[in-house]
Amino acid sequence: MSTDLAKKQEAIANRLQKKAEESQKKRDDRENSSVLLEQTDFFHSSFTKARKEIESTLATSDEIPKSKLTDHFDAMTISLQKMKKFVTDSSAFLVSYDVEKAQQALMDIFYAVHLKREELIPKKKFAFKSKKKATSEKPVPQTQSVQATKPKVEVDMTDCRFTEQSGRKLYKDSQELQSKDVALSKLTDCDVLLDGSPSAIHISLLRNCRIFSGPVSSSIFVDDCVDCTFVLACQQLRIHSSTKSNFYIHVTSKAIIEDCQDVLFAPFNLQLPLMSDHYAISGLNKDINNWDAVDDFNWLASDSPSPNWAVIPEGERVPSWDISDFA
Amino acid sequence: MGLLTILKKMKQKEKEVRLLMLGLDNAGKTTILKKFNGEDIDTISPTLGFNIKTLEHRGFKLNVWDVGGQKSLRSYWRNYFESTDGLIWVVDSADRRRLEDTKRELESLLLEERLAGATLLVFANKQDLPGALPSKEIRANLELDNIKSHHWLIQGCSAVTGENLLEGIDWVIDDIASRIFTMD
């Protein structure tokens, strides 16, 4: 009986304490929020006041004599910077919506002041080089940021290239290729031999072609090729949007495919008379060849292999390439 | 937490800069990052995912995010926008065929609200290649002069030789520092 009573008393005591805590918490909350509200009110009234001041100063700009214009605008810039700092300092207690709104309002005034300044002091160009000025006058509204109006500048392919050919055998020697970047584009039914060590190769839009190259010191980029055979050595190989093509490769890092289907891989097996010299020039390590470590960027599952590429079975590989009839 | 701890925390935070490095695949983003950090660049594979490096440079703590540029990865770029101080846009200056692509991708990034305050550095990379377009031409092709929403600079560079990497990064840091760390 007595234990029951004790329990009851304890329960009542607990309840009372809880109640007291709750009401204390409520009181605290109320106080806090009233402080917050006060701060927020203070912020809004100060901000609005400062903004109105600048706006009215800005409105008088047309009546200011020319000699005093610079001072006039500098003063406004300083006020704006103060406002900016005020917003930053106040962001600790403001809700983010208020901060954003204040920043937007600031941007608008910045822009208005900037425009007026451009109008009245036209020779003072907005120059990127003077960092100070750029900082204070930067915020042009974002919507105006990017407009593509200017006529496009024509870009030709690199000098070292083969483009728009069909049914040809095309050859470049090591002197032409030495540390060059090569472009191969829009070729149909062509055989190409790059008999040297280029720096990089960009390949695109090939149909039914065979491409042979000596060691490339950096990367080869292949895009949109169909029914082709590539025999290449390089550091990186990226293959995009290509189908039904075979790659006999030496890659010291990794080959990757993206948006490809039916691409097959085998180890590099090209023999060129000066190959070891070319390897030396390229700096490629002959002993490291990750030809079958292909990453498919459309197949990120690691537990099952990508259906987009495969290794050519040993018996089906072309054992050697006849390059004797190139020029 | 005492006042001193708070002050210390703020101080630590103060000189931290977050740089986001983006660009089309094969532009040389990872190579720039590794070269800048003095690492070996011969073994770099195309980035599947991202690399993050924290570097100390001129007393700043640089958190550099290098996100893969393959087409299939570009939709994930948005996940890295938050609290970016500087955007480093890397261009393969020798990839003339895809200049239009790099322009379009950059334009859509600059409209991104979460990157609105970021400083923009464009690295016209691979200047060591004879077929590379000079940075002046990249600037015209990307129509950089139309950009009014961000502080920007284009810097010709070569990740392979390391040429001008430091100059570019220093400019980004200076620009960010002048915006953020000298408020008072």
Side-chain angles (χ1 to χ4, degrees):
Chain A
M1 195 67 198
S2 65
T3 49
D4 268 3
L5 193 67
K7 262 188 193 162
K8 246 181 207 163
Q9 272 173 345
E10 201 183 317
I12 288 169
N14 277 344
R15 215 180 305 147
L16 278 177
Q17 199 188 339
K18 233 186 201 166
K19 238 184 181 165
E21 275 170 6
E22 266 169 20
S23 67
Q24 178 65 36
K25 193 170 170 281
K26 264 187 196 154
R27 219 173 308 137
D28 286 354
D29 281 354
R30 217 175 302 132
E31 268 166 31
N32 277 344
S33 70
S34 72
V35 169
L36 269 184
L37 268 182
E38 247 168 60
Q39 282 178 322
T40 311
D41 279 349
F42 172 73
F43 171 80
H44 281 305
S45 60
S46 311
F47 187 82
T48 312
K49 194 168 152 241
R51 197 177 73 183
K52 281 194 176 136
E53 262 169 35
I54 293 185
E55 277 168 356
S56 56
T57 316
L58 181 64
T60 64
S61 299
D62 289 322
E63 294 140 33
I64 305 282
K66 260 202 175 133
S67 60
K68 286 195 179 150
L69 267 179
T70 312
D71 288 344
H72 170 74
F73 279 109
D74 283 350
M76 269 190 287
T77 306
I78 289 168
S79 310
L80 279 171
Q81 268 165 353
K82 277 188 189 153
M83 281 176 77
K84 199 173 164 190
K85 185 165 181 330
F86 181 55
V87 173
T88 313
D89 291 346
S90 307
S91 62
F93 58 82
L94 288 176
V95 291
S96 61
Y97 172 74
D98 281 342
V99 176
E100 232 164 71
K101 240 177 91 180
Q103 273 167 347
Q104 189 57 52
L106 265 183
M107 287 250 285
D108 291 347
I109 318 171
F110 259 120
Y111 191 46
V113 171
H114 174 68
L115 278 185
K116 200 74 196 170
R117 185 176 205 142
E118 293 270 273
E119 183 196 323
L120 295 176
I121 320 178
K123 72 168 188 289
K124 195 142 194 174
K125 270 243 174 93
F126 170 63
F128 178 66
K129 268 180 207 129
S130 85
K131 251 176 231 161
K132 259 258 161 73
K133 277 281 133 57
T135 314
S136 59
E137 295 177 359
K138 172 199 100 190
V140 175
Q142 232 199 336
T143 41
Q144 307 218 338
S145 57
V146 190
Q147 339 133 324
T149 40
K150 255 196 264 168
K152 204 183 125 217
V153 186
E154 274 304 314
V155 179
D156 206 356
M157 301 282 266
T158 180
D159 292 337
C160 192
R161 65 178 192 245
F162 289 121
T163 58
E164 296 181 33
Q165 313 243 17
S166 63
R168 299 274 305 272
K169 274 197 187 297
L170 305 163
Y171 177 85
K172 281 192 191 293
D173 66 22
S174 59
Q175 217 161 13
E176 289 174 277
L177 295 169
Q178 176 79 54
S179 64
K180 291 271 177 60
D181 53 305
V182 184
L184 307 174
S185 185
K186 298 181 190 159
L187 305 177
T188 309
D189 305 323
C190 288
D191 284 356
V192 180
L193 175 58
L194 304 175
D195 186 4
S197 175
S199 264
I201 312 180
H202 287 106
I203 299 171
S204 60
L205 302 160
L206 306 192
R207 299 293 177 266
N208 192 33
C209 290
R210 295 195 307 164
I211 311 295
F212 305 97
S213 175
V216 173
S217 58
S218 64
S219 69
I220 299 179
F221 186 89
V222 178
D223 188 20
D224 195 348
C225 295
V226 183
D227 294 322
C228 293
T229 297
F230 298 88
V231 187
L232 310 164
C234 58
Q235 194 229 322
Q236 289 186 354
L237 174 63
R238 290 175 167 86
I239 307 164
H240 285 217
S241 310
S242 296
T243 51
K244 290 185 271 176
S245 292
N246 296 341
F247 292 83
Y248 290 74
I249 55 170
H250 176 190
V251 182
T252 53
S253 73
K254 240 177 191 185
I256 71 109
I257 61 172
E258 187 174 57
D259 304 329
C260 288
Q261 271 168 351
D262 297 326
V263 287
L264 303 173
F265 293 87
F268 185 65
N269 58 355
L270 183 63
Q271 301 293 332
L272 294 171
L274 296 172
M275 188 72 97
S276 51
D277 293 350
H278 297 155
Y279 261 105
I281 294 167
S282 72
L284 286 189
N285 187 338
K286 258 186 139 164
D287 300 328
I288 301 173
N289 186 2
N290 301 315
W291 64 273
D292 58 350
V294 181
D295 276 339
D296 182 353
F297 275 58
N298 304 108
W299 193 264
L300 299 177
S302 55
D303 50 348
S304 58
S306 160
N308 300 319
W309 70 274
V311 168
I312 306 174
E314 253 176 86
E316 294 169 29
R317 294 174 193 164
V318 177
S320 65
W321 307 96
D322 180 17
I323 48 152
S324 57
D325 53 349
F326 279 95
Chain B
M1 187 156 46
L3 181 62
L4 193 64
T5 335
I6 298 176
L7 285 176
K8 259 193 195 150
K9 271 226 159 125
M10 286 175 74
K11 189 114 188 100
Q12 275 170 1
K13 259 213 123 26
E14 194 173 48
K15 294 200 121 186
E16 239 181 84
V17 170
R18 182 178 155 119
L19 301 176
L20 177 61
M21 186 143 64
L22 298 175
L24 301 189
D25 49 316
N26 203 37
K29 297 176 288 298
T30 309
T31 310
I32 287 178
L33 181 60
K34 296 219 165 175
K35 187 74 182 184
F36 189 73
N37 201 28
E39 290 175 54
D40 179 25
I41 58 167
D42 294 334
T43 56
I44 298 170
S45 302
T47 307
L48 194 122
F50 65 91
N51 303 301
I52 174 169
K53 277 222 152 55
T54 303
L55 319 170
E56 294 281 344
H57 181 58
R58 285 175 40 201
F60 290 91
K61 193 172 158 197
L62 309 182
N63 293 316
V64 190
W65 294 74
D66 153 35
V67 187
Q70 299 294 144
K71 212 188 278 169
S72 49
L73 298 178
R74 291 179 207 158
S75 55
Y76 299 102
W77 284 356
R78 65 177 76 243
N79 300 341
Y80 302 86
F81 290 162
E82 212 65 61
S83 54
T84 292
D85 300 308
L87 173 66
I88 301 177
W89 183 255
V90 185
V91 180
D92 175 356
S93 307
D95 190 357
R96 300 161 183 237
R97 206 173 67 90
R98 291 199 299 163
L99 266 182
E100 198 57 32
D101 289 358
T102 189
K103 171 172 181 277
R104 208 184 41 239
E105 294 285 355
L106 177 60
E107 280 175 357
S108 68
L109 276 185
L110 294 181
L111 293 174
E112 179 58 48
E113 205 172 317
R114 282 171 295 166
L115 294 175
T119 296
L120 170 67
L121 170 68
V122 179
F123 264 139
N125 191 23
K126 308 202 185 180
Q127 290 296 322
D128 54 300
L129 297 178
L133 288 171
S135 65
K136 213 169 64 191
E137 277 184 56
I138 303 276
R139 172 182 175 159
N141 271 286
L142 300 188
E143 296 179 357
L144 295 180
D145 292 286
N146 284 346
I147 299 173
K148 311 287 185 216
S149 52
H150 297 66
H151 289 188
W152 61 267
L153 176 77
I154 181 162
Q155 176 77 63
C157 74
S158 163
V160 173
T161 66
E163 188 198 356
N164 281 336
L165 293 186
L166 209 59
E167 284 78 355
I169 301 285
D170 278 345
W171 177 81
V172 172
I173 294 172
D174 285 342
D175 188 76
I176 293 170
S178 72
R179 279 192 292 119
I180 299 179
F181 302 127
T182 55
M183 274 296 288
D184 23 23

